[in-house]
């Protein structure tokens, strides 16, 4: 009788040990998967333009010479919008100083503020703070975590627009271009 | 005799002093018999021209109104939408693109969100030539079947793509 009870106890112990072992193995596989994903696959650079306008004007913004012409705004329908964009297609990312160089202006006659993104292969490599009408940008810092090799990349400007109350407009603009990356 | 000769010599020396002065003036005032004119000109060499794009995008109010009949439900203490009693007020809306650039661009619009909004094919917007080039993209929103709302709702986003013409 006692022999039978001992055998039963041993079997129970073995089952518990086996269950604990399987659980530990599962935990190990899970933690390894999370580690591999965070190192190699986690997307740290894709960013949507904010739903509400940033509070701060971009520190790289410079006023255009005619930025005080408030009386020559574009016509727009109530509830609609109207913006002008002025730019060149020359966009260079300099890895040595971590900056992207370009020419982009939100002319004084625009009715909406802007936020500008520089996008390469679907990833935002640089994003501005607020760019009000009558201001230009010629450079932005590369975002942290951006890894690019020297060469040419298909990219684009993405401009999002914001009303005076900070709400994002239904319309945004993409401008395809080539981004040249240099050391 | 010596005195006379000395005086004569002195007078002669004094006379030659003025000849030196006259000789200098004669050199300054000399005019060559033949003249050569050498032209000095400047030429303008056309350098690189940088294409600059300036595009204006204007859009209408993309708000669509849903009007409905609601009945108070004393059990749930809520307003119930009467089935089939609501309707959408939908009109065609425009997006206008104006091009002041020195090169033509193509303009297209794509919608992501609730329902559909089809702006059709891309339009070529001509470069500046005495006046700005213009194009209009138009679309009429179509809700999904049975789609209704009971409060103000953001439906989606329209992305206008402006591409340089090669």
């Amino acid at each position: 009788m006692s022999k039978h009870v001992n055998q039963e106890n041993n079997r129970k112990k073995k089952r518990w040990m086996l269950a604990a072992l399987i659980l530990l193995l599962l935990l190990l596989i899970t933690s390894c998967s999370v580690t591999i994903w965070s190192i190699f696959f986690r997307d740290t650079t894709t960013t949507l333009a904010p739903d509400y306008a940033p509070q701060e004007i971009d520190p790289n913004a410079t006023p255009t010479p005619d930025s005080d012409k408030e009386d020559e705004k574009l016509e727009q329908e109530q509830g609609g919008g109207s913006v002008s964009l002025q730019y060149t297609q020359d966009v260079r990312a300099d890895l040595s100083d971590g900056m992207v160089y370009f020419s982009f202006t939100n002319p004084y006659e625009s009715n909406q503020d802007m936020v500008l993104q520089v996008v390469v292969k679907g990833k935002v490599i640089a994003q501005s703070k607020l760019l009000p009408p009558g201001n230009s940008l010629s450079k932005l810092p590369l975002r942290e975590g951006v890894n690019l090799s020297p060469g040419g990349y298909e990219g684009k400007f993405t401009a999002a627009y914001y009303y005076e109350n900070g709400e994002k407009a239904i319309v945004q603009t993409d401008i395809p271009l080539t981004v040249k990356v240099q050391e | 005799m010596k005195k006379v000769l000395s005086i004569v010599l002195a007078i002669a020396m004094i006379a030659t002093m003025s000849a030196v002065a006259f000789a200098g003036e004669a050199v300054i005032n000399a005019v060559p018999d033949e003249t050569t004119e050498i032209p000095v000109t400047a030429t303008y060499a056309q350098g690189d021209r940088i294409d600059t794009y300036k595009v204006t995008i204007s859009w209408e109010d993309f708000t669509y109104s849903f009007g409905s009949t609601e009945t108070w439900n004393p059990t749930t203490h809520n307003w119930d939408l009467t089935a089939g009693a609501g309707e959408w007020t939908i009109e065609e809306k425009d997006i206008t693109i104006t091009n002041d650039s020195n090169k033509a661009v193509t303009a297209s619009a794509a919608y992501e969100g609730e329902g559909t909004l089809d702006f059709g094919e891309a339009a070529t917007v001509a470069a500046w030539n005495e006046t700005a080039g213009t194009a209009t993209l138009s679309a009429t929103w179509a809700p999904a079947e049975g789609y209704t709302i009971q409060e103000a709702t953001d439906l989606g986003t329209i992305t206008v793509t402006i591409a340089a013409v090669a």
Side-chain angles (χ1 to χ4, degrees):
Chain A
M1 180 74 173
S2 63
K3 188 179 174 184
H4 176 74
V5 168
N6 280 341
Q7 278 178 348
E8 190 59 37
N9 283 341
N10 282 339
R11 272 195 216 110
K12 277 185 187 171
K13 272 184 196 171
K14 281 182 185 171
R15 273 191 222 122
W16 277 111
M17 281 176 65
L18 190 61
L21 198 61
I22 290 170
L23 189 62
L24 283 171
L25 200 60
L26 281 171
L27 278 171
L28 182 65
I29 291 169
T30 306
S31 79
C32 284
S33 301
V34 169
T35 304
I36 290 168
W37 169 80
S38 69
I39 291 171
F40 296 107
F41 299 104
R42 184 170 58 166
D43 185 356
T44 58
T45 57
T46 300
T47 306
L48 296 174
D51 289 335
Y52 288 90
Q55 295 297 305
E56 187 186 338
I57 293 174
D58 196 282
N60 294 293
T62 53
T64 56
D66 46 15
S67 58
D68 57 349
K69 290 186 182 177
E70 284 294 326
D71 58 341
E72 295 185 26
K73 289 292 189 182
L74 294 166
E75 286 183 14
Q76 80 174 36
E77 180 186 278
Q78 189 171 2
S82 194
V83 294
S84 282
L85 306 95
Q86 184 169 320
Y87 56 93
T88 64
Q89 295 264 316
D90 179 28
V91 179
R92 291 176 298 112
D94 192 328
L95 298 178
S96 64
D97 64 4
M99 300 294 289
V100 185
Y101 296 94
F102 53 88
S103 174
F104 186 93
T105 299
N106 182 4
Y108 67 90
E109 64 263 31
S110 291
N111 291 319
Q112 278 76 46
D113 297 326
M114 294 184 192
V115 165
L116 180 71
Q117 293 177 326
V118 182
V119 181
V120 167
K121 291 187 171 294
K123 304 275 194 294
V124 177
I125 66 168
Q127 177 166 311
S128 75
K129 291 188 169 67
L130 199 68
L131 188 68
N135 282 273
S136 292
L137 278 174
S138 60
K139 60 183 179 182
L140 284 172
L142 282 168
R143 291 175 66 91
E144 277 188 38
V146 168
N147 290 315
L148 293 168
S149 301
Y153 293 81
E154 283 184 8
K156 63 181 178 181
F157 284 141
T158 293
Y161 311 123
Y162 298 87
Y163 294 103
E164 276 187 22
N165 61 4
E167 281 189 19
K168 192 175 170 192
I170 190 175
V171 171
Q172 62 181 31
T173 299
D174 280 354
I175 300 169
L177 39 77
T178 300
V179 177
K180 292 171 193 160
V181 179
Q182 60 195 49
E183 295 214 28
Chain B
M1 189 63 180
K2 282 184 184 176
K3 279 185 188 174
V4 170
L5 278 174
S6 299
I7 292 166
V8 168
L9 191 62
I11 293 169
M13 286 176 73
I14 290 167
T16 57
M17 281 171 63
S18 63
V20 171
F22 287 134
E25 284 180 9
V27 168
I28 291 170
N29 288 329
V31 175
D33 294 330
E34 293 178 5
T35 58
T36 304
E37 286 187 352
I38 303 170
V40 178
T41 57
T43 58
Y44 176 72
Q46 176 67 59
D48 287 340
R49 281 185 160 177
I50 299 173
D51 297 323
T52 301
Y53 294 87
K54 184 174 180 182
V55 175
T56 299
I57 302 170
S58 301
W59 62 92
E60 293 185 316
D61 182 3
F62 281 82
T63 300
Y64 305 100
S65 164
F66 181 75
S68 64
T69 302
E70 295 173 330
T71 307
W72 178 251
N73 185 328
T75 305
T76 63
H77 300 110
N78 239 322
W79 291 98
D80 292 338
L81 202 60
T82 305
E87 63 177 27
W88 288 97
T89 302
I90 299 172
E91 294 173 343
E92 185 181 75
K93 302 289 183 181
D94 293 339
I95 298 175
T96 304
I97 299 95
T98 305
N99 186 14
D100 285 278
S101 317
N102 64 297
K103 285 205 164 174
V105 296
T106 60
S108 59
Y111 169 71
E112 267 190 60
E114 195 62 53
T116 59
L117 199 54
D118 184 2
F119 289 91
E121 300 288 319
T124 298
V125 194
W128 168 272
N129 184 8
E130 305 274 328
T131 186
T134 304
T136 301
L137 303 172
S138 304
T140 304
W141 182 66
E145 194 174 331
Y147 178 70
T148 60
I149 58 171
Q150 286 188 291
E151 58 184 5
T153 303
D154 288 335
L155 295 176
T157 302
I158 300 167
T159 299
V160 176
T161 298
I162 306 294
V165 172

